[in-house]
């Protein structure tokens, strides 16, 4: 029987990989995305199936067609069995982009990630991910924020200029 505290720690480690993947997508940070996968991991996004290198080569250009994204992670249920684990993680992802005519839209996609995790060398990573689509919608988009350079707000960016990276440097 596995120690309950170790099971909890293993579940948390796997859950954080799900969160970090979302962060990597939203910052369009390929290194961050790669870091959640084992080097030989595979991904099945329906229209895309392949290894981590192929996934990054596919997803990065797709992300660059969007102004911004926000992947919100919901229910994350992880079942641990020794050095392997399986999880179902709900998400809702918002994609600010232009439609075919160039009008600003927000495409919302809701679904689930079905992940297989493996602990190798003491480190948990995703070894396989299956993307499950549950529903989607596209709506006209409005943004009421003043996004001019004179705005006092801190806006998210899809680059190392995002405020997150300064915060991460402080924790090193």
């Amino acid at each position: 029987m596995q120690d309950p505290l170790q099971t909890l720690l293993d579940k948390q480690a796997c859950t954080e990989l799900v969160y970090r993947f979302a962060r990597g997508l939203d910052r369009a940070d390929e290194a961050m995305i790669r870091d959640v996968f084992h080097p030989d991991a595979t991904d099945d996004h329906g229209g895309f199936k392949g290894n981590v290198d192929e996934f990054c080569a596919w997803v990065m250009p797709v992300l660059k067609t969007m102004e911004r994204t926000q992947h919100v992670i919901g229910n994350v249920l992880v079942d641990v069995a020794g050095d392997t684990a399986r999880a179902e993680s709900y998400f809702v992802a918002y994609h600010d982009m232009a439609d075919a005519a160039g009008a600003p839209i927000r495409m919302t996609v809701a679904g689930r990630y079905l992940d297989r995790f493996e602990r190798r060398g003491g480190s948990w990573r995703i070894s396989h991910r299956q993307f499950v689509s549950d529903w989607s919608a596209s709506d006209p988009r409005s943004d009421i924020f003043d996004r001019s350079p004179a705005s006092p707000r801190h806006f998210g960016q899809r680059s190392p200029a995002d405020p997150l990276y300064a915060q991460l440097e402080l924790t090193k």
Side-chain angles (χ1 to χ4, degrees), residues 12-149:
Q12 184 62 34
C14 293
T15 300
E16 288 200 16
L17 292 169
V18 175
Y19 294 151
R20 277 194 249 136
F21 178 80
R23 177 189 272 177
L25 291 175
D26 294 338
R27 301 287 59 85
D29 186 326
E30 183 174 342
M32 196 177 291
I33 293 168
R34 283 179 179 279
D35 191 51
V36 304
F37 291 97
H38 283 296
D40 61 345
T42 54
D43 184 281
D44 178 353
H45 255 68
F48 166 83
K49 293 177 176 74
N51 64 37
V52 173
D53 292 332
E54 295 163 334
F55 174 74
C56 287
W58 171 75
V59 78
M60 295 309 294
V62 171
L63 290 172
K64 290 180 186 199
T65 67
M66 303 169 189
E67 265 182 77
R68 65 189 67 87
T69 62
Q70 189 172 72
H71 291 72
V72 180
I73 304 300
N75 305 347
V76 180
L77 294 172
V78 181
D79 295 311
V80 177
D83 289 334
T84 62
R86 298 207 179 257
E88 176 188 44
S89 305
Y90 284 60
F91 70 86
V92 177
Y94 304 95
H95 307 81
D96 284 2
M97 55 198 287
D99 67 11
I105 63 167
R106 176 162 295 135
M107 179 182 65
T108 305
V109 176
R112 292 166 287 134
Y113 300 124
L114 302 179
D115 290 319
R116 183 177 66 236
F117 302 92
E118 294 178 10
R119 178 175 27 215
R120 299 180 192 169
S123 181
W124 285 100
R125 295 285 185 270
I126 297 169
S127 59
H128 179 74
R129 166 164 281 178
Q130 181 180 2
F131 173 98
V132 178
S133 299
D134 288 327
W135 61 268
S136 67
S138 287
D139 299 296
R141 174 172 47 101
S142 63
D143 190 343
I144 62 171
F145 287 137
D146 170 12
R147 290 187 177 270
S148 73

